[in-house]
Amino acid sequence: MSVVLIVEDELLEQEFLKSVVQDELMPEDTLLACETGVEAVELAKQNRPDIIIMDVRIPELDGISAIEEIRKFLPDACISVLTAYSDFAYAQKAVSMRVFEYLLKPIKPTDFKQVFCRMMDEIARRQE
């Protein structure tokens, strides 16, 4: 059983991500979504997701800071960043926090699905 958390403040984008992810999940898996960094940290504490898709520019607590907080109690979570901001400093910080992928919006559904499936494979490999 996997738990997936999507953190995206643009609702249309969040719905797109949820629809792609839902197609890949098993019935016993859990899909959570939220819009702010503070919500992301709280949901991660409560549900301990295996996979997190995180936007960078989100309300209350930016995605990079949220990842820093989450890494304190979920050091092995498989986290990918999906953002419209190609700022090298964000990417550099994300890499230092061992993100799985740093993806730029807009992203094609097939490309996102590929990355998500690789994340699922990584989690499955670790659980063996």
Side-chain angles (χ1 to χ4, degrees):
M1 185 182 94
S2 294
V3 177
V4 178
L5 173 60
I6 296 172
V7 187
E8 172 60 64
D9 63 325
E10 296 172 34
L11 292 181
L12 195 59
E13 186 79 14
Q14 188 186 98
E15 289 303 315
F16 155 71
L17 296 171
K18 284 168 40 178
S19 71
V20 173
V21 167
Q22 196 68 58
D23 285 346
E24 301 304 315
L25 295 179
M26 302 300 285
E28 65 272 11
D29 294 332
T30 303
L31 175 58
L32 306 166
C34 64
E35 300 173 30
T36 74
V38 171
E39 287 176 306
V41 173
E42 286 305 311
L43 279 174
K45 279 182 184 169
Q46 293 167 7
N47 298 280
R48 309 195 65 77
D50 306 290
I51 294 175
I52 301 172
I53 309 297
M54 179 78 70
D55 192 1
V56 171
R57 293 272 176 105
I58 50 177
E60 296 177 4
L61 182 68
D62 70 84
I64 298 297
S65 298
I67 291 170
E68 281 181 315
E69 285 300 308
I70 291 167
R71 280 282 183 231
K72 291 176 184 174
F73 57 89
L74 287 178
D76 297 326
C78 192
I79 302 173
S80 284
V81 171
L82 179 60
T83 183
Y85 299 94
S86 58
D87 186 311
F88 181 70
Y90 284 137
Q92 197 173 29
K93 185 71 173 170
V95 166
S96 75
M97 290 184 288
R98 299 179 294 110
V99 298
F100 188 80
E101 285 283 347
Y102 191 92
L103 307 164
L104 292 177
K105 295 177 191 174
I107 189 167
K108 294 178 185 165
T110 53
D111 293 343
F112 177 70
K113 181 178 177 176
Q114 259 185 341
V115 169
F116 183 75
C117 287
R118 286 189 11 246
M119 293 174 81
M120 292 287 286
D121 290 345
E122 177 67 17
I123 292 300
R125 186 186 63 74
R126 288 180 192 174
Q127 291 174 347
E128 287 177 352

